[in-house]
Amino acid sequence: LLFHRITTLTTLFSGIVTTLVATFTVPHIDAYLRKKTDPVFFKGTYHYNDALHTMSEILNHNISFTLITAQLAQSLQETLKASSVEFSFPMGTKTALLMSKQGIHIPILFKNQKIGVLYLGEKLSGDVYTSTDKQLLNTLSHQVATSYQRAMLHKEVEDYSHKLEKMVAKRTSQLTESYNHQHRMIYDISHSLQTPLTVIKSELENIKSISQNTSLFETFETSVDDITKFIHDFLKLTEIESEENEPPMDTLNLSEFLSEIVEYIDIIAKEKDI
């Protein structure tokens, strides 16, 4: 039992010591090893023309500027073995990396105006950026500026296109509504004229039956027939021009409909003692 207790206490003490040692020494050991090995493993070299070609492909085969900067940052980080790469657009929004003194930043110019910044953190190898690196970055900065302006122009055209589509749709809706209103108005007027003309023609027949000279009434009756035919043809024309192939169906109150007919026919019926 005593041996067991001693062993347990020894194990517990060893665990505590190991934990403390690891906590306070491992980060320092890790930093030391990185400092010694990064210059070896991240010493990478690259071919200038191949790197420029690869990054130009990214710039020329994408229209989304967000996608362009993301892919370009990744490519630059892999090529130059940089600890970080960031773009800042538009000017005035500085990130923590841009405010840092470490690494380098390349201004992105368009027509001699600064529109953004390309920032690269220090190299993982600890080396400084060479003149070749800076030449590559300066060349890319001009292409990035052109790509940025192209993306902004594309967005402007796209926004205007959406706005124009909405304007056309609104105007088309207004024209359609105006046409339908005009069509309904003409249809209602034509229908309203048909019944009075029927009554007038009936009255003319009554007058002819009691008049000695019917030639004048026949001429007037012919004119009424012509107007009736014109209204009939006009209604047919509006139906043909209508977008609907089938007439609109609706519930009809037959009693009201018959009452309207009786109201007009009653005049004719009384004349004939019906």
Side-chain angles (χ1 to χ4, degrees):
L1 179 60
L2 179 62
F3 177 77
H4 175 71
R5 288 181 178 180
I6 294 174
T7 303
T8 303
L9 290 174
T10 303
T11 304
L12 179 61
F13 179 74
S14 299
I16 293 174
V17 171
T18 303
T19 302
L20 291 174
V21 170
T23 301
F24 290 101
T25 61
V26 168
H28 296 287
I29 295 173
D30 178 66
Y32 176 79
L33 291 175
R34 286 180 180 275
K35 186 176 180 180
K36 294 298 182 181
T37 57
D38 282 355
V40 177
F41 293 108
F42 295 103
K43 198 75 175 180
T45 58
Y46 63 92
H47 192 276
Y48 179 88
N49 291 332
D50 291 341
L52 185 62
H53 175 74
T54 300
M55 297 175 194
S56 297
E57 288 289 318
I58 295 173
L59 289 164
N60 295 326
H61 287 88
N62 293 289
I63 193 63
S64 170
F65 195 70
T66 303
L67 183 62
I68 288 174
T69 53
Q71 292 184 0
L72 197 59
Q74 182 180 357
S75 181
L76 280 171
Q77 191 168 2
E78 292 174 354
T79 301
L80 300 179
K81 302 297 186 293
S83 58
S84 60
V85 177
E86 284 191 12
F87 288 90
S88 177
F89 288 93
M91 288 304 301
T93 55
K94 294 184 178 180
T95 64
L97 286 174
L98 286 172
M99 297 172 66
S100 173
K101 294 181 180 180
Q102 297 179 346
I104 62 170
H105 66 275
I106 305 296
I108 298 175
L109 305 176
F110 185 79
K111 294 182 179 179
N112 296 324
Q113 291 186 353
K114 192 175 182 180
I115 62 173
V117 175
L118 167 60
Y119 173 83
L120 288 89
E122 61 182 355
K123 287 190 174 185
L124 295 174
S125 62
D127 295 340
V128 297
Y129 287 94
T130 64
S131 58
T132 304
D133 297 336
K134 295 177 180 178
Q135 182 181 354
L136 174 66
L137 295 173
N138 284 322
T139 302
L140 283 175
S141 69
H142 294 297
Q143 295 186 19
V144 170
T146 303
S147 178
Y148 178 76
Q149 293 300 321
R150 185 176 70 242
M152 293 300 101
L153 180 61
H154 176 76
K155 185 178 184 301
E156 183 179 347
V157 172
E158 195 175 46
D159 292 343
Y160 180 76
S161 177
H162 291 323
K163 181 180 178 181
L164 190 61
E165 287 177 2
K166 291 180 180 179
M167 291 173 62
V168 171
K170 181 179 179 181
R171 184 57 180 162
T172 301
S173 177
Q174 292 175 344
L175 290 173
T176 303
E177 184 178 354
S178 176
Y179 171 79
N180 291 335
H181 175 71
Q182 182 181 10
H183 176 75
R184 288 194 301 269
M185 184 176 66
I186 293 173
Y187 197 80
D188 293 341
I189 292 173
S190 301
H191 269 293
S192 299
L193 289 174
Q194 278 185 323
T195 304
L197 288 173
T198 303
V199 175
I200 291 172
K201 186 175 181 180
S202 177
E203 291 297 324
L204 285 175
E205 290 178 356
N206 292 335
I207 295 174
K208 280 197 308 180
S209 63
I210 61 176
S211 175
Q212 299 296 328
N213 186 9
T214 60
S215 59
L216 180 62
F217 296 104
E218 289 176 353
T219 303
F220 189 49
E221 187 178 17
T222 301
S223 299
V224 172
D225 290 338
D226 290 341
I227 296 174
T228 303
K229 184 177 183 302
F230 172 76
I231 293 174
H232 181 268
D233 293 340
F234 198 70
L235 284 173
K236 287 294 182 183
L237 179 62
T238 56
E239 289 177 2
I240 292 173
E241 291 181 347
S242 176
E243 294 181 357
E244 298 178 355
N245 295 325
E246 296 294 335
M249 307 299 291
D250 200 359
T251 304
L252 174 66
N253 188 323
L254 187 59
S255 298
E256 292 182 2
F257 178 67
L258 292 175
S259 296
E260 292 178 1
I261 296 176
V262 169
E263 183 179 346
Y264 292 105
I265 300 301
D266 185 59
I267 300 173
I268 302 171
K270 287 180 180 179
E271 294 292 336
K272 296 182 178 296
D273 296 326
I274 299 175

